[in-house]
Amino acid sequence: MGYALKETEYRYRAWTKDGIWQMGKLTTNKNITIHEGSNVFHYGQGLFEGLKAYKTKSGKIQLFRPDMNFIRINEGLDRIVAPRIPEELFFDAIEKVVEANKDDIPEYGQGQSLYIRPFVIGQGMNLGVKPSEEYLFSVFCAPVGTYFKGGLSALNFVTTDYDRAAANGTGQVKLAGNYGASLYPRQIAKDAGYAGVIYLDPATHTKIDEVGAANFFGVTHDNVVVTPKSSSILPSITRKSILYLAEHVLGLKTEERECFIDNISEFKEAGACGTAAIITPIGSITHKGKKHQFGEGEVGTIVKKLYDLLLDIYYGDIEAPEGWIREIK
Ligand code: PLP
Ligand code: COI
């Protein structure tokens, strides 16, 4: 299965009225008609989230840490000066969309799931550079397999001289523009035969920031799981979960700190993690023409253990830490 190739029937739409969110409803209309002067078209006032629903062996449907997406979307809305979404609206939308499209949730196993895409856009005639007066919140979904091709085979990444976000810019939120900025460096990497880009910190270009659509983590030779500390990366829910599992289930040390690209050989294993990516093993990183391979260039032992744990939790095969799973009844 490719990434989100099949469209589902129902989506949810809600609008603001006088700056206040109103409860929304399901629709089968895939198109949105909004004013040509809408902020989202001209000034990029739009952001999105991504989360997944998994089917367990017994047929239950469960969401992985949706409360974290709820917190993050509101942090993003603060950053683009748009009204916060009430909890009741957020979960009404997610739950209704999953229930309505439940026949399209892939069966248990093999990394497949229903990817859920909430988003908010500023709409309405607005030529001045200022926040919109009206907003749309919508949620749609699609059945997906793994984001990076190749399952658990380790992929090759390359650093770039481009930045996706500024040092004190919008990298910490899922602003649409961050992804627009990433298309060109991604294309260059793809054309050169790489699976994706490793962004460096925009201020000094000496430290690993993240992968284009996932966070980076590495495992040192003495088994410490390390992830970059940076003001320009998205605080990944998967990364947070991996660090927790590494520490509390595998009994490993974890660190959130600077990861200098010139010191990349401190890691014997590496991975890219995110809702879409799940955990994608990184086989090598090429920087300034020099290729650094992790281990034998195959999935490392600890990366594999973390992957198995995460999948077991996604699919309900083992009990998740408290509060991580929300079942759709
Ligand atoms: N970094 C970027 C730029 C992303 O787009 C994503 C995807 O959401 C992630 C990291 C991973 O975050 P999460 O684990 O919350 O999906
Ligand atoms: C996600 O993992 O949810 C993402 O946002 C990655 C991507 C498909 C943009």
Side-chain angles (χ1 to χ4, degrees), residues 3 48-51 115 117 147 174 179 213 274-277:
Y3 205 76
F48 66 93
E49 265 303 327
L51 66 160
Y115 183 80
R117 173 54 61 86
Y147 187 68
K174 280 180 84 72
Y179 299 82
T275 299

mmCIF file of all heavy atoms in Angstrom, residues 3 48-51 115 117 147 174 179 213 274-277, ligand 2:
data_model
loop_
_atom_site.group_PDB
_atom_site.id
_atom_site.type_symbol
_atom_site.label_atom_id
_atom_site.label_comp_id
_atom_site.label_asym_id
_atom_site.label_seq_id
_atom_site.Cartn_x
_atom_site.Cartn_y
_atom_site.Cartn_z
ATOM 1 N N TYR A 3 1.454 5.549 0.259
ATOM 2 C CA TYR A 3 1.047 6.446 1.330
ATOM 3 C C TYR A 3 -0.183 7.245 0.912
ATOM 4 O O TYR A 3 -0.119 8.103 0.040
ATOM 5 C CB TYR A 3 2.187 7.389 1.749
ATOM 6 C CG TYR A 3 1.989 7.831 3.172
ATOM 7 C CD1 TYR A 3 2.267 6.955 4.212
ATOM 8 C CD2 TYR A 3 1.453 9.067 3.477
ATOM 9 C CE1 TYR A 3 2.029 7.289 5.515
ATOM 10 C CE2 TYR A 3 1.210 9.421 4.790
ATOM 11 C CZ TYR A 3 1.503 8.521 5.806
ATOM 12 O OH TYR A 3 1.257 8.855 7.108
ATOM 13 N N PHE A 48 -1.333 21.900 10.206
ATOM 14 C CA PHE A 48 -1.987 20.592 10.223
ATOM 15 C C PHE A 48 -1.444 19.725 11.349
ATOM 16 O O PHE A 48 -0.464 20.078 12.012
ATOM 17 C CB PHE A 48 -1.810 19.895 8.866
ATOM 18 C CG PHE A 48 -0.381 19.526 8.518
ATOM 19 C CD1 PHE A 48 0.100 18.258 8.826
ATOM 20 C CD2 PHE A 48 0.457 20.405 7.879
ATOM 21 C CE1 PHE A 48 1.399 17.892 8.506
ATOM 22 C CE2 PHE A 48 1.768 20.050 7.554
ATOM 23 C CZ PHE A 48 2.231 18.791 7.870
ATOM 24 N N GLU A 49 -2.109 18.597 11.541
ATOM 25 C CA GLU A 49 -1.641 17.581 12.488
ATOM 26 C C GLU A 49 -1.668 16.232 11.780
ATOM 27 O O GLU A 49 -2.183 16.120 10.659
ATOM 28 C CB GLU A 49 -2.557 17.527 13.728
ATOM 29 C CG GLU A 49 -2.065 18.359 14.893
ATOM 30 C CD GLU A 49 -0.665 17.972 15.335
ATOM 31 O OE1 GLU A 49 -0.299 16.799 15.241
ATOM 32 O OE2 GLU A 49 0.085 18.855 15.779
ATOM 33 N N GLY A 50 -1.102 15.245 12.401
ATOM 34 C CA GLY A 50 -1.143 13.900 11.837
ATOM 35 C C GLY A 50 -1.186 12.895 12.979
ATOM 36 O O GLY A 50 -0.374 12.977 13.908
ATOM 37 N N LEU A 51 -2.164 11.993 12.939
ATOM 38 C CA LEU A 51 -2.227 10.921 13.936
ATOM 39 C C LEU A 51 -2.834 9.694 13.271
ATOM 40 O O LEU A 51 -3.300 9.779 12.129
ATOM 41 C CB LEU A 51 -3.011 11.346 15.183
ATOM 42 C CG LEU A 51 -4.498 11.632 15.073
ATOM 43 C CD1 LEU A 51 -5.138 11.532 16.451
ATOM 44 C CD2 LEU A 51 -4.760 13.035 14.557
ATOM 45 N N TYR A 115 -4.502 6.971 8.576
ATOM 46 C CA TYR A 115 -3.833 8.244 8.887
ATOM 47 C C TYR A 115 -4.903 9.339 8.938
ATOM 48 O O TYR A 115 -5.717 9.469 8.015
ATOM 49 C CB TYR A 115 -2.788 8.564 7.808
ATOM 50 C CG TYR A 115 -2.000 9.824 8.101
ATOM 51 C CD1 TYR A 115 -0.942 9.812 9.003
ATOM 52 C CD2 TYR A 115 -2.322 11.026 7.483
ATOM 53 C CE1 TYR A 115 -0.218 10.964 9.281
ATOM 54 C CE2 TYR A 115 -1.596 12.188 7.759
ATOM 55 C CZ TYR A 115 -0.546 12.146 8.659
ATOM 56 O OH TYR A 115 0.165 13.285 8.928
ATOM 57 N N ARG A 117 -5.789 13.354 9.285
ATOM 58 C CA ARG A 117 -5.174 14.659 9.013
ATOM 59 C C ARG A 117 -6.099 15.816 9.411
ATOM 60 O O ARG A 117 -6.954 16.243 8.645
ATOM 61 C CB ARG A 117 -4.841 14.724 7.512
ATOM 62 C CG ARG A 117 -4.357 16.054 6.982
ATOM 63 C CD ARG A 117 -3.183 16.662 7.707
ATOM 64 N NE ARG A 117 -1.965 15.900 7.703
ATOM 65 C CZ ARG A 117 -1.028 15.929 6.739
ATOM 66 N NH1 ARG A 117 -1.192 16.686 5.694
ATOM 67 N NH2 ARG A 117 0.081 15.218 6.857
ATOM 68 N N TYR A 147 5.498 5.233 5.457
ATOM 69 C CA TYR A 147 5.767 6.466 4.721
ATOM 70 C C TYR A 147 7.010 6.343 3.845
ATOM 71 O O TYR A 147 7.009 6.676 2.667
ATOM 72 C CB TYR A 147 5.950 7.602 5.725
ATOM 73 C CG TYR A 147 6.078 8.966 5.108
ATOM 74 C CD1 TYR A 147 4.989 9.555 4.466
ATOM 75 C CD2 TYR A 147 7.271 9.673 5.176
ATOM 76 C CE1 TYR A 147 5.091 10.819 3.912
ATOM 77 C CE2 TYR A 147 7.382 10.931 4.624
ATOM 78 C CZ TYR A 147 6.290 11.504 3.995
ATOM 79 O OH TYR A 147 6.400 12.748 3.445
ATOM 80 N N LYS A 174 3.484 22.777 13.279
ATOM 81 C CA LYS A 174 3.297 22.140 11.972
ATOM 82 C C LYS A 174 2.683 23.117 10.973
ATOM 83 O O LYS A 174 1.622 22.864 10.383
ATOM 84 C CB LYS A 174 2.442 20.885 12.125
ATOM 85 C CG LYS A 174 3.263 19.709 12.630
ATOM 86 C CD LYS A 174 2.435 18.452 12.797
ATOM 87 C CE LYS A 174 2.280 17.675 11.534
ATOM 88 N NZ LYS A 174 3.481 16.971 11.077
ATOM 89 N N TYR A 179 6.704 22.992 5.330
ATOM 90 C CA TYR A 179 6.742 21.873 4.391
ATOM 91 C C TYR A 179 6.930 22.377 2.963
ATOM 92 O O TYR A 179 7.601 21.738 2.150
ATOM 93 C CB TYR A 179 5.486 21.000 4.580
ATOM 94 C CG TYR A 179 5.471 20.461 5.990
ATOM 95 C CD1 TYR A 179 4.988 21.239 7.048
ATOM 96 C CD2 TYR A 179 6.030 19.235 6.290
ATOM 97 C CE1 TYR A 179 5.032 20.796 8.364
ATOM 98 C CE2 TYR A 179 6.086 18.776 7.590
ATOM 99 C CZ TYR A 179 5.594 19.562 8.629
ATOM 100 O OH TYR A 179 5.664 19.124 9.928
ATOM 101 N N ALA A 213 10.357 15.050 7.501
ATOM 102 C CA ALA A 213 9.018 14.819 8.038
ATOM 103 C C ALA A 213 9.054 13.872 9.238
ATOM 104 O O ALA A 213 8.103 13.147 9.513
ATOM 105 C CB ALA A 213 8.116 14.248 6.947
ATOM 106 N N GLY A 274 8.393 9.251 13.563
ATOM 107 C CA GLY A 274 7.252 10.148 13.442
ATOM 108 C C GLY A 274 5.994 9.331 13.216
ATOM 109 O O GLY A 274 6.071 8.118 12.995
ATOM 110 N N THR A 275 4.867 9.997 13.244
ATOM 111 C CA THR A 275 3.593 9.300 13.038
ATOM 112 C C THR A 275 3.601 8.571 11.702
ATOM 113 O O THR A 275 3.268 7.397 11.612
ATOM 114 C CB THR A 275 2.440 10.315 13.102
ATOM 115 O OG1 THR A 275 2.453 10.897 14.397
ATOM 116 C CG2 THR A 275 1.102 9.660 12.845
ATOM 117 N N ALA A 276 3.975 9.280 10.653
ATOM 118 C CA ALA A 276 3.989 8.673 9.321
ATOM 119 C C ALA A 276 5.152 7.692 9.186
ATOM 120 O O ALA A 276 4.981 6.569 8.710
ATOM 121 C CB ALA A 276 4.081 9.751 8.257
ATOM 122 N N ALA A 277 6.330 8.112 9.628
ATOM 123 C CA ALA A 277 7.547 7.305 9.458
ATOM 124 C C ALA A 277 7.589 6.099 10.397
ATOM 125 O O ALA A 277 8.331 5.152 10.151
ATOM 126 C CB ALA A 277 8.780 8.176 9.697
HETATM 127 C C1 COI B 2 3.294 12.959 10.200
HETATM 128 O O1 COI B 2 4.084 12.088 10.513
HETATM 129 O O2 COI B 2 2.146 13.025 10.675
HETATM 130 C C2 COI B 2 3.666 13.988 9.256
HETATM 131 O O3 COI B 2 3.165 15.058 9.365
HETATM 132 C C3 COI B 2 4.630 13.668 8.220
HETATM 133 C C4 COI B 2 4.173 14.023 6.859
HETATM 134 C C5 COI B 2 3.362 13.089 6.109
HETATM 135 C C6 COI B 2 4.123 15.452 6.555
#
